[in-house]
Amino acid sequence: MGDWSHTFKTDITIWSEYLYDFYELDRNYNYSDLLESTHFYQRPEKEKMLALIAHVTIEKTERTEEFMIVMDDGRPKWHTTTIYPMLDEQGDLIGLYGILQNVTARKKSELELQRMAIVAEKTNGIVMITDPEKRVIWINNSFEKILGYKSEEVIGIDPGIFLQGPETSIETIREITRSLRDTGTFSGEILNYTKSGDKIWLYLNIAAVYDDTGKLINYVAVENDITLIKMAEQRLQKAMEKERELNRFKTQFVNLASHQFRTPLATIRSSIDLLDLRTESTNLSTPFIEFFQKHKAIMAEETTRMTELMENILDIGRIDEGKIEISKKNHPFKQFMDAFIQSNIEPNGQQRMLNYHFDAPDRIISIDEILLRNVLRNVVSNAFKYSENKQAPELTVIFHDNSYLITIKDYGIGIPEKDQPFLFQSFFRASNAKAFPGSGLGLMIAKKLILIHGGDISFASKSGNGCTVTIQLRL
């Protein structure tokens, strides 16, 4: 925390030491310029601060507001400011006294929870969060749809009380308790019951969440309905000696299940495959097969989208943990770029190709082809997506200051100015991009990867006038 005071008669403002630290300024800074002449407070935040000062001045009562500032490197910080009126013995206002409290850590935690909620709501799997005493504090929509319980019915209750029943394995319950106590995680199957009393097989992935001090704060459980798979497994086991084809089918299923249904996406994919095989071995009508194939394609497309989202999230984890390994090899740069252009046509719609110009000397450059291709693909896919039905995006390569500069320019919707400071943050999407599918991870991953590679990325844009992204690769 830090404080300041301003006396009207002398027009003198005094800062405490912490305020210099919070704003990351030297002690010679003229703090009278903080609000009007710096980049720290964007327009809405400035207006809110002026309104706060005006309220305290007019009403002569204290008031608190929360603010966000943006540092030179783009980092956001949050603080609360409480302003008190300074009154003389006659009750006249003679100055203002303010207290600033740094709440950046709390805000980051809130944003992280919001991001978790976004991912949880995008998955068809059940997601549940409990407190350290295993009492429910949050469930997603799939919990309500699959298990039948509304949020208000389960909050504050141990899920074992209402989900477990007469045929739930006591050994499994003991194993969950033991595993969470010893390792903080559990993965495995359990037979539970819906609100209507129906049996439901779930595959559980439970993980304990700890704060920076090692204190347990939550358990997060992702549960996937594998009832159909379990039923199919039982039927196949009974019929395995009657027909060779069913035996082969069971073997494929067991292999698939044992290796892949540990995640929600693998479960969805296995269900699609099983249904497809069933249509091939059963005498079904042509209209039904066409209907099934249509919806199978929809399921496959949505699963692919979710897979990409989860892969992006896993990439973030690998990057943050320093597990991304760079494997650079010498390569003619023009040859690499030519190959990239040929393989990156607009995936749907107009099937546009990039308007490509290589206006630079061709040199041998040490690059990680997979990593750099991933960076370019993220940027180019955005250029196509956000310039739908417009002129094709342009990709230009020039050489400057011992670096290749790759510029991708589109003629699409652009990025509003108020959104630009946050463009490379996780899960952030511009306010005018809500109609387009996306997770808000591509550009953030692209920036992290290019920095690991030793390069950089920047952009320039105006709302409604397209966007230009520049990738720098140093030799």
Side-chain angles (χ1 to χ4, degrees), residues 16-242:
S16 67
E17 286 293 308
Y18 180 71
L19 295 183
Y20 294 99
D21 296 335
F22 177 76
Y23 290 101
E24 301 176 18
L25 299 168
D26 61 51
R27 270 48 179 178
N28 296 321
Y29 177 73
N30 182 7
Y31 36 72
S32 63
D33 295 332
L34 179 70
L35 191 61
E36 294 298 333
S37 304
T38 69
H39 63 279
F40 288 117
Y41 293 90
Q42 296 182 337
R43 183 179 298 276
E45 301 296 299
K46 289 181 181 179
E47 293 174 353
K48 186 164 61 171
M49 181 66 81
L50 292 173
L52 173 61
I53 295 171
H55 173 87
V56 177
T57 302
I58 296 170
E59 301 295 333
K60 299 180 182 179
T61 58
E62 68 179 77
R63 188 165 180 169
T64 301
E65 293 284 357
E66 185 175 276
F67 298 90
M68 187 193 76
I69 65 173
V70 181
M71 309 308 292
D72 287 333
D73 56 6
R75 285 178 295 120
K77 280 187 174 183
W78 288 266
H79 70 84
T80 60
T81 286
T82 302
I83 300 181
Y84 301 85
M86 296 167 57
L87 307 175
D88 61 15
E89 294 179 354
Q90 289 74 38
D92 294 326
L93 187 71
I94 60 173
L96 299 173
Y97 174 70
I99 295 178
L100 177 148
Q101 183 173 4
N102 185 352
V103 295
T104 301
R106 172 175 63 80
K107 289 294 293 186
K108 286 183 176 180
S109 296
E110 291 174 359
L111 291 173
E112 189 63 31
L113 287 174
Q114 292 173 11
R115 292 165 186 161
M116 289 173 62
I118 290 171
V119 175
E121 292 298 353
K122 284 181 177 289
T123 179
N124 288 330
I126 298 168
V127 181
M128 173 177 61
I129 301 177
T130 69
D131 63 16
E133 285 71 42
K134 300 184 178 66
R135 294 173 299 206
V136 178
I137 61 174
W138 187 85
I139 59 174
N140 69 344
N141 290 336
S142 293
F143 190 105
E144 297 184 0
K145 292 177 181 178
I146 297 173
L147 296 175
Y149 290 97
K150 297 294 184 182
S151 177
E152 58 269 20
E153 296 178 284
V154 301
I155 297 299
I157 302 174
D158 186 326
I161 294 175
F162 57 88
L163 291 181
Q164 296 167 8
E167 295 185 36
T168 302
S169 169
I170 299 299
E171 289 301 317
T172 300
I173 296 172
R174 291 172 178 168
E175 175 60 20
I176 293 174
T177 301
R178 184 202 62 77
S179 183
L180 291 178
R181 183 188 65 242
D182 295 345
T183 68
T185 62
F186 173 80
S187 295
E189 301 173 354
I190 189 170
L191 175 63
N192 278 339
Y193 292 80
T194 66
K195 183 179 179 179
S196 61
D198 296 329
K199 296 177 185 178
I200 181 170
W201 279 96
L202 297 174
Y203 193 91
L204 308 182
N205 283 283
I206 307 175
V209 180
Y210 303 92
D211 64 16
D212 293 339
T213 65
K215 179 182 177 181
L216 175 65
I217 56 175
N218 290 119
Y219 290 104
V220 178
V222 179
E223 308 175 6
N224 308 295
D225 181 2
I226 58 169
T227 304
L228 292 178
I229 294 177
K230 294 294 290 186
M231 292 172 63
E233 183 182 50
Q234 292 168 3
R235 289 196 299 267
L236 288 171
Q237 287 174 344
K238 293 178 181 179
M240 62 185 303
E241 296 180 357
K242 297 181 180 180

Side-chain angles (χ1 to χ4, degrees), residues 359-394:
D359 300 329
D362 186 15
R363 298 192 179 182
I364 302 296
I365 184 172
S366 180
I367 57 174
D368 184 320
E369 293 186 63
I370 295 176
L371 186 149
L372 184 55
R373 198 176 292 118
N374 191 357
V375 172
L376 290 169
R377 190 179 296 115
N378 270 312
V379 178
V380 167
S381 64
N382 279 351
F384 279 128
K385 178 165 61 176
Y386 296 117
S387 66
E388 193 175 51
N389 299 319
K390 301 286 186 180
Q391 178 181 339
E394 300 173 0

